[in-house]
Amino acid sequence: MASRGPPPGMGPVMVLNAKTQRQTGRQAQLSNISAARSVADIIRTTLGPRSMLKMLLDPMGSIVITNDGHCILREVDVSHPTAKSMMELSRAQDEEVGDGTTSVIILAGEVLVQAIPFLENSHSSLHPTVIVQAYHQALQKALELCEQYV
C-alpha cells in the first residue's frame, strides 16, 4: 500500500544549506528590497543617452559586451529569491512587449525603495498590505489622469 505522507505528528522536514540564512519580519522585507535595488543598480547605467556598456564573462569563458538590460540579467547568476523574481520580471517584459526590460527593472526597484521609510519608521511602521493598497490607489489615479489628458 502506498504511503500518504508523513506519519501523524510528523511535520514536513526542511533541509537547508548550511550557509542559508532564515529571516523574518521587517528584516526579511528590507533584505528583499535591498536585493531588488541591487539588481536595478546593476543595469541602471545602461539606460539613457549616456548609457555605458557592460563587459561580462559568460559561463563558457567568452566575453559579452552589451548595454541591453535583459541580456545582462540573463548572464548574471543570482541566488536571492527576490533577485530571481526581478530577473523573471525582465523575462516576462521581454516576452510580452519585446522592449523596456531595463526600464521595468529600474522602475520596480525604485517603487520598492520608496517603501523603505514606511517600513523603517519605528513610530508608525505601516503593514506591507497598507503600502500595496497605497500603490494601487496611486495606479488608479495615474490611469485616471492618463485618460483625462491623453
Side-chain angles (χ1 to χ4, degrees):
M1 180 179 236
S3 174
R4 293 197 171 153
M10 298 291 292
V13 176
M14 293 179 61
V15 179
L16 298 174
N17 185 340
K19 296 179 183 177
T20 301
Q21 296 177 355
R22 187 159 177 86
Q23 298 175 333
T24 58
R26 294 283 185 242
Q27 182 184 12
Q29 293 163 351
L30 295 173
S31 173
N32 289 340
I33 292 172
S34 176
R37 176 188 240 172
S38 297
V39 172
D41 287 344
I42 289 172
I43 61 170
R44 183 180 312 278
T45 58
T46 65
L47 187 65
R50 299 180 66 192
S51 65
M52 294 187 282
L53 295 171
K54 301 279 186 192
M55 185 183 310
L56 308 168
L57 187 64
D58 73 2
M60 300 302 290
S62 60
I63 295 175
V64 177
I65 298 176
T66 183
N67 68 351
D68 177 37
H70 185 62
C71 178
I72 293 167
L73 293 177
R74 273 195 322 256
E75 297 295 331
V76 174
D77 183 33
V78 296
S79 59
H80 195 282
T82 303
K84 287 181 181 179
S85 293
M86 294 288 280
M87 305 293 194
E88 179 63 24
L89 178 63
S90 171
R91 187 196 60 76
Q93 177 73 13
D94 190 51
E95 284 181 5
E96 291 294 321
V97 181
D99 194 19
T101 55
T102 303
S103 300
V104 77
I105 293 298
I106 293 171
L107 181 62
E110 284 302 313
V111 165
L112 289 172
V113 166
Q114 294 304 313
I116 291 174
F118 301 110
L119 292 170
E120 285 184 333
N121 188 346
S122 61
H123 298 294
S124 63
S125 181
L126 297 175
H127 194 275
T129 57
V130 174
I131 297 170
V132 170
Q133 287 173 348
Y135 281 137
H136 280 291
Q137 288 176 350
L139 171 64
Q140 293 306 314
K141 184 64 176 176
L143 291 173
E144 288 174 17
L145 291 172
C146 285
E147 289 289 326
Q148 182 179 351
Y149 293 111
V150 175

